[in-house]
Amino acid sequence: MSTTEFTKIHRESVNYPALTNDSFYILISDSIKVAQQQNFAPEHVIPVALAPIIENMTTLNGVLSKEVNYSDRSELDAQRDDDYAYLKVMLQSNAINRDAAKKNAAITLLSVFDTFDINLDRLSLDAQTAQLDRVIAAWATPENKAHFETLELTADVNRLEGSAGAFKNYNIERTKNGNKQSPKVRDLRKAIQGDFVMWLNVLEGLSNLNKDEACYNTLKGINKYIIEQDALLKAKATRKAEEVSN
């Protein structure tokens, strides 16, 4: 016998795109757990409609786990500078190598530095990017690639190209505690959000029209999490507005 006192219930809402990756993932995960704690029959529309959401959430978790986390642009800059400094030191050490082939290869590659102002410590971040782009482009010629192969430094110059590219594209790098998203994460979140909102609408309809106790309790539990996230977003917006006004 049901002990639930039914009152009309509506699904709560939040600005899903404004949630960080971490907050979005936690909200949907907690909502799934609320539904799984109810006594739904396997063939019930709620667990059936929940299946694709769970599948996409599993994929999203895998993508977020594999993507590199950067707290801000400075970390990308530090990684790029480390790769650059290591490569420069290796070239300088090989410039005095007793092996003539390696010595000539290193001297040739180091000559690129005589063409550009590559003292990164004296340059702004954007100026560093422009100069490194020019150096990397010069090193990318077939002749210079052959020199890196001679020195067994191909993997290292490729690593520098990668970190330099990551720095330039840092705006699309994901950070769990930020709102920076790669295209794949963005697409997954959009799909999950669409399915999740429709699923909430079904919960609302079955709760109000069919007096379905499990649906009612599920939506009631999920609404608490949504209200909590909405309050956090509004508090964050308020703090930001106060900082601007001050």
Side-chain angles (χ1 to χ4, degrees):
M1 182 177 177
S2 174
T3 58
T4 299
E5 182 180 346
F6 287 94
T7 56
K8 194 164 186 179
I9 188 170
H10 298 284
R11 69 170 178 85
E12 297 293 338
S13 185
V14 65
N15 184 359
Y16 293 96
L19 295 174
T20 65
N21 290 320
D22 198 34
S23 295
F24 180 86
Y25 185 85
I26 290 172
L27 172 60
I28 307 300
S29 294
D30 286 344
S31 299
I32 291 171
K33 291 175 185 176
V34 172
Q36 290 174 334
Q37 290 168 357
Q38 299 301 318
N39 191 28
F40 287 111
E43 66 276 9
H44 194 287
V45 65
I46 293 305
V48 171
L50 188 59
I53 299 175
I54 294 175
E55 182 178 351
N56 276 331
M57 282 289 287
T58 300
T59 303
L60 178 62
N61 183 52
V63 173
L64 294 179
S65 298
K66 289 178 182 177
E67 289 187 1
V68 180
N69 295 331
Y70 295 107
S71 61
D72 53 35
R73 197 183 192 192
S74 63
E75 289 189 26
L76 287 166
D77 174 54
Q79 182 61 58
R80 180 189 63 172
D81 288 358
D82 285 347
D83 293 339
Y84 162 79
Y86 175 80
L87 193 58
K88 184 177 179 181
V89 168
M90 292 302 294
L91 291 177
Q92 290 172 331
S93 64
N94 274 289
I96 56 174
N97 199 310
R98 291 182 179 179
D99 184 306
K102 290 188 176 182
K103 178 179 180 178
N104 290 334
I107 290 174
T108 300
L109 293 172
L110 281 169
S111 68
V112 174
F113 295 121
D114 296 330
T115 307
F116 307 120
D117 178 6
I118 44 71
N119 187 338
L120 300 186
D121 291 335
R122 297 203 319 264
L123 301 175
S124 68
L125 294 181
D126 290 329
Q128 290 178 21
T129 298
Q131 296 292 38
L132 268 181
D133 279 350
R134 296 168 69 191
V135 172
I136 291 172
W139 279 345
T141 62
E143 309 84 52
N144 285 335
K145 282 186 176 181
H147 292 318
F148 278 112
E149 290 176 3
T150 298
L151 294 167
E152 300 179 1
L153 292 174
T154 299
D156 298 293
V157 74
N158 289 342
R159 186 177 298 111
L160 173 61
E161 289 181 17
S163 58
F167 176 80
K168 288 193 295 182
N169 298 322
Y170 81 102
N171 280 327
I172 63 169
E173 293 290 341
R174 182 194 70 88
T175 166
K176 283 187 174 180
N177 295 316
N179 202 27
K180 303 168 187 173
Q181 300 166 14
S182 71
K184 188 168 185 179
V185 169
R186 209 158 42 236
D187 289 344
L188 280 168
R189 282 187 53 164
K190 186 176 181 180
I192 292 168
Q193 178 188 331
D195 289 342
F196 182 66
V197 171
M198 285 192 291
W199 182 69
L200 292 179
N201 287 336
V202 174
L203 281 170
E204 181 182 304
L206 293 176
S207 298
N208 294 324
L209 298 177
N210 293 12
K211 304 298 181 183
D212 188 306
E213 183 176 12
C215 288
Y216 183 90
N217 290 332
T218 298
L219 185 56
K220 185 177 180 181
I222 292 172
N223 274 345
K224 293 179 181 179
Y225 291 120
I226 295 176
I227 291 170
E228 180 181 90
Q229 287 298 331
D230 186 54
L232 290 172
L233 282 181
K234 289 176 179 176
K236 183 178 180 181
T238 300
R239 286 196 303 272
K240 188 173 182 180
E242 290 174 348
E243 290 173 1
V244 171
S245 62
N246 293 333

